[in-house]
């Protein structure tokens, strides 16, 4: 059986979590859940890093002894993870006796083996990082590269770890094992860091009292970073449960943000090597979330609280809180390729909720169940002989679980989700094109039943595959589908088999799981010439009444974007080539600040086709697309689900 040990960093308890920390933990949770789905034996660890000068200071500011402070903050992290249904198997706190024992044991071992020696350490020191920096790592004006604050020249008599001796070893390891540090950008960064030369590392402190005492010289404490890294072997049972350690350590993966790759990919393996223990299997460093382009940090205080983001989505959508939490997780994992940096916005969350969850997934479920309820008395119809596009949908389903599994194994959440959404898109297209309502009208109940069965079957498969990302929402979908077997017991193998739904099963349609968020549209606001919303924020401008005949003079059509490019010399304009039925035309629109040209290709939009043509910056615009302007953002109008281009809208 495959085993899988996944860790998050242990978070500092000097403050409360923001979306950055939540991101790492949600990603780790998703992988852990995926691996369980794939049948692996999983151990998922998270925890808190509770020693060091920063915590000591923070406690002093709060007027509390450090132990009381950490005892007060650590439960907040645990509560957050519980609220977000994080499925960790253990939660480690570095102030626990099991960890103190392990840290002293390994430190002693390194000393016994001659890997730690007493010496003088001096250098530029950032008290916030609790780390020394070399001259060339500092920013101009001798500022810490992380905190952008002045560093101090620091001299200490303490114990040093012979990191420099492992330089060739770790360089070769990272060169020869391309999978050891991922993604590639981080691997390259580590290689050049090592080639720049490794210096011995101060691993004890005389000045810091709040730490684990050096076993052979208790007036010193073990440097918090070295001690913190050891949590990964404490929790897997190196001292307490050697059997578990033996089974899981060779399958260990450390997940973290790229701010702390060095500690995990260089220092930690070297230290383990020094004490005769194997390296973790993989170190995976993801990118950073910014807010309006600014780095989020506790020090700066510009951080976004994940719980309030979720509550805001819950309130605007009316979805259950747990479903809103799922949507938040989905958005973080879908929006930005894992490993790259991303800018967080609530608007992106709303967009993903509406477009992907409410439309593509939720609405497909609602309308299919409604047809079964109405025409088949709420019992899943038995499928007849496959016809036309049925086979294509089934073939797509057959390859999806393994394709997604491969993506997930490579931490490629974005592509795994895109694959699943392509399948949902195909299922939407399938029901639209096979039109069960037409078969019913023609009296062909067998065909209508087959189509509905196939669509529900596609939903069953997608739902199993989505459990790691949408644990609460998929549970609700599952209940509405009426499947008797618990969702928690489903495995990847169940998603591989077409035909898992039992005909005759009583469906249980309920209220929409992802209720669409209505974003108010300003009357008369179209994107051809975006302007500030009239009538104040969120208000609707009073306009003259028109008759239905007058309205009918406006020819609105579904259009598919074929090409999109910037208009030279205009930073707001894009030139689009769109297909409307059999014809194509050019539309110039003021949407360049919100939409990248490539993101529009293949999208269905709504175009007014009978406006008089107009020349804009030398380009003839033969129509106007519909969009809402809100908070100075232009948001394209779209359709609830896919319809062919050329269809009229009234
Ligand atoms: N205590 C150390 C880790 C010790 S691990 C042996 C630490 N803690 S921390 O609380 O500062 O958490 C850092 C981690 O939080 C990052 O590595 C990353 O996983 C996550 N993030 C913090 N801010 C982040 C963003 N803005 N964006 C993405 N992830 C972020 O460092």
């Amino acid at each position: 059986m495959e085993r899988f040990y996944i860790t998050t960093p242990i978070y500092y308890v000097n403050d409360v979590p923001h979306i950055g920390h939540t991101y790492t933990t949600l990603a780790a949770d998703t992988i852990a859940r995926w691996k369980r789905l794939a049948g692996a034996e999983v151990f998922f660890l998270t925890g808190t890093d509770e020693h060091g000068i920063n915590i000591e200071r923070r406690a002093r500011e709060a007027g509390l002894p450090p132990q009381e402070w950490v005892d007060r903050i650590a439960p907040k992290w645990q509560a957050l993870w519980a609220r977000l249904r994080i499925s960790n198997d253990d939660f480690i706190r570095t102030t626990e006796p099991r960890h103190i024992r392990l840290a002293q044991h390994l430190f002693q071992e390194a000393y016994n083996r001659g890997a730690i020696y007493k010496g003088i350490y001096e250098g530029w020191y950032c008290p916030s990082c609790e780390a020394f920096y070399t001259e060339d790592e500092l920013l101009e004006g001798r500022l810490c590269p992380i905190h952008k604050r002045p560093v101090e020249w620091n001299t200490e008599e303490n114990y040093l770890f012979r990191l420099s001796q492992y330089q060739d070893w770790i360089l070769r390891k990272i060169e020869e094992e391309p999978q050891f540090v991922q993604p590639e950008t981080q691997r390259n960064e580590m290689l050049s860091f090592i080639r720049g030369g490794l210096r011995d590392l101060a691993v004890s402190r005389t000045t810091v009292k709040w730490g684990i005492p050096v076993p052979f010289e208790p007036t010193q404490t073990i440097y918090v970073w070295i001690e913190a890294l050891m949590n990964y072997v404490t929790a897997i049972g190196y001292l307490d449960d050697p059997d578990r350690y033996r089974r899981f350590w060779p399958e260990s993966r450390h997940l973290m943000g790229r701010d702390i790759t060095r500690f995990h990919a260089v220092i930690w393996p070297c230290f383990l090597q020094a004490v005769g223990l194997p390296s973790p299997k993989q170190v995976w460093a993801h990118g950073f979330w910014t807010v309006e382009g600014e780095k989020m940090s506790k020090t700066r205080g510009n951080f976004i609280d994940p719980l309030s983001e979720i509550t805001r989505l819950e309130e605007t959508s009316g979805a259950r809180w747990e479903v809103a939490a799922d949507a938040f997780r989905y958005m973080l994992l879908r929006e930005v390729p894992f490993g790259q940096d991303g800018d967080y916005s609530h608007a992106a969350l709303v967009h993903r909720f509406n477009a992907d969850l409410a439309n593509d997934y939720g609405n497909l479920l609602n309308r299919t169940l409604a047809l079964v309820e109405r025409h088949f008395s709420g019992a899943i119809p038995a499928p007849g002989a496959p016809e036309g596009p049925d086979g294509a949908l089934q073939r797509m389903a057959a390859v999806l679980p393994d394709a997604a599994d491969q993506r997930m194994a490579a931490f490629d959440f974005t592509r795994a989700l895109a694959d699943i959404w392509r399948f949902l898109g195909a299922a939407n297209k399938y029901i639209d094109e096979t039109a069960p309502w037409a078969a019913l009208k023609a009296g062909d109940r067998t065909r209508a039943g087959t189509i509905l069965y196939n669509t529900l079957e596609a939903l069953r498969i997608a739902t199993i595959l989505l459990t790691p990302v949408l644990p609460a929402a998929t549970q609700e979908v599952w209940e509405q589908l009426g499947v008797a077997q618990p969702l928690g017991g489903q495995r990847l193998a169940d998603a591989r088999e077409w035909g898992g739904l039992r005909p005759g099963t009583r469906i249980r349609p309920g209220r929409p799981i992802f209720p669409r968020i209505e974003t108010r549209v300003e009357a008369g606001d179209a994107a051809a010439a975006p302007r500030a919303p009239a009538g104040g924020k969120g208000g609707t401008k009073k306009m003259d009444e028109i008759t239905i005949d007058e309205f009918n003079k406006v020819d609105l059509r579904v259009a598919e974007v074929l090409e999109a490019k910037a208009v030279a010399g205009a930073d707001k304009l894009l030139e689009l080539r769109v297909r409307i039925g059999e014809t194509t035309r050019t539309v110039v629109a003021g949407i360049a600040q919100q939409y990248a040209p490539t993101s529009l290709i293949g999208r269905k939009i709504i175009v007014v086709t009978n406006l008089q043509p107009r020349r804009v910056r030398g380009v003839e615009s033969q129509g106007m697309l519909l969009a809402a302007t809100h908070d100075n953002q232009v948001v394209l109008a779209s359709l609830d689900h896919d319809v062919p281009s050329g269809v009229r809208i009234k």
Side-chain angles (χ1 to χ4, degrees):
M1 190 197 251
E2 188 192 349
R3 294 200 179 95
F4 194 81
Y5 175 30
I6 179 101
T7 67
T8 72
I10 47 171
Y11 302 102
Y12 287 129
V13 284
N14 50 0
D15 243 314
V16 286
H18 63 53
I19 59 164
H21 311 112
T22 311
Y23 181 54
T24 316
T25 303
L26 287 173
D29 184 60
T30 303
I31 290 286
R33 286 173 183 271
W34 184 273
K35 286 289 170 182
R36 290 186 199 113
L37 181 72
E41 195 187 346
V42 173
F43 196 90
F44 169 22
L45 176 71
T46 189
T48 40
D49 189 352
E50 305 192 353
H51 289 122
I53 188 84
N54 283 325
I55 314 269
E56 197 177 318
R57 270 196 209 125
R58 196 70 188 75
R60 200 173 319 120
E61 280 163 26
L64 289 173
Q67 187 65 52
E68 259 180 57
W69 168 258
V70 300
D71 286 345
R72 192 173 287 196
I73 302 295
K76 293 199 198 269
W77 287 81
Q78 282 165 310
L80 171 72
W81 303 143
R83 192 97 208 269
L84 294 174
R85 300 177 169 226
I86 300 303
S87 64
N88 53 305
D89 296 288
D90 195 357
F91 186 96
I92 186 164
R93 297 182 52 188
T94 54
T95 50
E96 288 173 62
R98 59 170 172 164
H99 181 66
I100 296 172
R101 205 154 72 82
L102 180 285
Q104 293 189 323
H105 174 85
L106 288 190
F107 202 85
Q108 181 76 52
E109 187 64 27
Y111 185 65
N112 295 349
R113 290 172 179 244
I116 286 178
Y117 63 95
K118 197 163 204 177
I120 295 283
Y121 193 89
E122 50 182 6
W124 294 112
Y125 182 79
C126 169
S128 295
C129 297
E130 302 188 58
F132 284 95
Y133 285 97
T134 58
E135 187 82 42
D136 53 275
E137 285 169 337
L138 298 175
L139 303 179
E140 238 185 80
R142 294 233 170 85
L143 301 182
C144 159
I146 309 274
H147 295 89
K148 319 235 165 9
R149 288 206 196 135
V151 289
E152 303 157 3
W153 185 257
N154 207 335
T155 312
E156 270 195 9
E157 191 194 43
N158 48 25
Y159 288 94
L160 282 95
F161 169 55
R162 295 186 196 281
L163 183 62
S164 59
Q165 284 195 352
Y166 296 90
Q167 175 165 338
D168 294 341
W169 173 80
I170 188 68
L171 184 66
R172 216 166 327 116
K173 179 173 172 67
I174 298 177
E175 279 171 349
E176 286 170 6
E177 298 172 32
Q179 286 306 308
F180 177 56
V181 184
Q182 279 294 309
E184 212 44 36
T185 45
Q186 285 292 304
R187 177 169 174 255
N188 291 332
E189 219 169 277
M190 290 308 112
L191 288 171
S192 59
F193 167 62
I194 299 164
R195 288 190 187 114
L198 297 182
R199 299 194 309 156
D200 288 353
L201 177 75
V203 287
S204 73
R205 294 284 183 271
T206 48
T207 46
V208 180
K209 295 288 161 258
W210 181 238
I212 299 178
V214 169
F216 44 87
E217 191 169 331
T219 52
Q220 300 218 15
T221 56
I222 304 176
Y223 171 45
V224 64
W225 253 110
I226 272 294
E227 177 243 290
L229 288 161
M230 295 179 193
N231 89 86
Y232 304 130
V233 291
T234 304
I236 205 62
Y238 180 66
L239 290 181
D240 304 335
D241 189 349
D243 178 53
R244 194 172 63 198
Y245 166 79
R246 224 170 323 137
R247 283 184 297 130
F248 280 102
W249 183 250
E251 297 304 328
S252 51
R253 268 102 168 160
H254 298 322
L255 188 62
M256 79 222 61
R258 60 172 170 72
D259 54 333
I260 56 177
T261 322
R262 260 179 214 195
F263 290 100
H264 286 83
V266 180
I267 297 171
W268 176 228
C270 291
F271 187 85
L272 285 168
Q273 177 75 2
V275 295
L277 294 181
S279 295
K281 182 161 184 167
Q282 190 174 50
V283 172
W284 222 105
H286 63 68
F288 254 63
W289 285 96
T290 51
V291 175
E292 286 167 6
E294 279 279 305
K295 191 182 156 189
M296 226 184 330
S297 76
K298 294 173 190 167
T299 328
R300 279 185 217 190
N302 65 338
F303 59 86
I304 295 191
D305 169 22
L307 295 183
S308 18
E309 282 302 285
I310 294 169
T311 302
R312 188 168 157 202
L313 185 70
E314 175 205 20
E315 283 166 1
T316 46
S317 68
R320 284 203 310 127
W321 196 90
E322 288 73 14
V323 170
D326 283 1
F328 177 70
R329 172 195 303 234
Y330 170 75
M331 188 281 272
L332 292 179
L333 295 178
R334 176 78 200 259
E335 197 71 12
V336 175
F338 208 57
Q340 292 180 24
D341 294 348
D343 200 49
Y344 182 83
S345 79
H346 191 80
L349 177 59
V350 169
H351 177 74
R352 287 290 176 188
F353 183 87
N354 272 349
D356 299 3
L357 299 174
N359 282 2
D360 297 341
Y361 187 32
N363 193 42
L364 180 64
L365 177 77
N366 301 343
R367 60 198 184 115
T368 314
L369 291 182
L371 287 166
V372 171
E373 187 73 7
R374 196 164 337 122
H375 301 287
F376 292 87
S377 321
I380 295 179
E387 271 180 40
D390 301 8
L393 188 68
Q394 284 189 31
R395 280 192 297 278
M396 207 171 168
V399 294
L400 182 64
D402 290 317
D405 189 41
Q406 280 181 17
R407 306 269 201 217
M408 286 290 190
F411 292 84
D412 194 345
F413 302 102
T414 314
R415 285 218 183 84
L417 289 169
D419 286 349
I420 298 171
W421 252 264
R422 208 166 303 122
F423 178 60
L424 285 172
N428 272 297
K429 189 157 172 253
Y430 169 78
I431 194 169
D432 288 341
E433 290 183 358
T434 52
W437 42 89
L440 284 165
K441 219 179 212 169
D444 192 348
R445 282 180 61 78
T446 310
R447 182 62 193 144
T450 306
I451 296 164
L452 294 175
Y453 180 88
N454 288 341
T455 311
L456 290 178
E457 187 55 18
L459 277 162
R460 180 190 69 89
I461 290 169
T463 300
I464 295 175
L465 299 179
L466 286 171
T467 51
V469 184
L470 309 170
T474 48
Q475 184 60 43
E476 291 194 22
V477 173
W478 201 249
E479 282 160 20
Q480 295 205 4
L481 287 172
V483 187
Q485 300 89 334
L487 181 58
Q490 297 291 299
R491 292 290 167 265
L492 211 50
D494 298 295
R496 283 193 195 104
E497 299 292 321
W498 184 270
L501 282 176
R502 295 250 313 271
T505 303
R506 186 81 189 78
I507 55 159
R508 285 199 291 267
R511 62 182 211 107
I513 298 163
F514 309 101
R516 252 193 92 80
I517 300 165
E518 296 306 336
T519 36
R520 269 209 226 156
V521 178
E522 301 291 336
D525 249 343
R531 47 186 182 265
K537 221 177 171 184
T540 317
K541 203 161 54 172
K542 181 108 181 84
M543 297 189 74
D544 293 339
E545 271 179 5
I546 56 168
T547 65
I548 188 73
D549 288 336
E550 281 169 311
F551 176 73
N552 279 337
K553 285 186 193 155
V554 183
D555 188 41
L556 294 167
R557 300 278 173 170
V558 178
E560 183 186 350
V561 180
L562 302 174
E563 295 162 30
K565 60 179 185 211
V567 173
D571 58 2
K572 289 203 173 131
L573 298 178
L574 289 184
E575 180 184 332
L576 310 179
R577 192 78 198 152
V578 299
R579 189 209 317 277
I580 301 175
E582 300 304 315
T583 65
T584 63
R585 63 170 79 196
T586 299
V587 174
V588 176
I591 56 172
Q593 308 220 306
Q594 267 77 40
Y595 294 91
T598 49
S599 73
L600 293 168
I601 297 183
R603 246 177 107 136
K604 297 275 172 65
I605 56 172
I606 303 170
V607 170
V608 186
T609 61
N610 59 339
L611 266 187
Q612 286 175 347
R614 196 161 70 101
R615 282 194 91 72
V616 187
R617 301 269 176 155
V619 184
E620 183 177 88
S621 183
Q622 301 150 332
M624 179 178 88
L625 56 76
L626 295 196
T629 306
H630 178 65
D631 279 350
N632 288 326
Q633 298 268 317
V634 181
V635 182
L636 282 177
S638 63
L639 290 143
D640 199 24
H641 60 86
D642 199 25
V643 280
S645 83
V647 170
R648 177 140 193 228
I649 295 159
K650 350 182 235 187

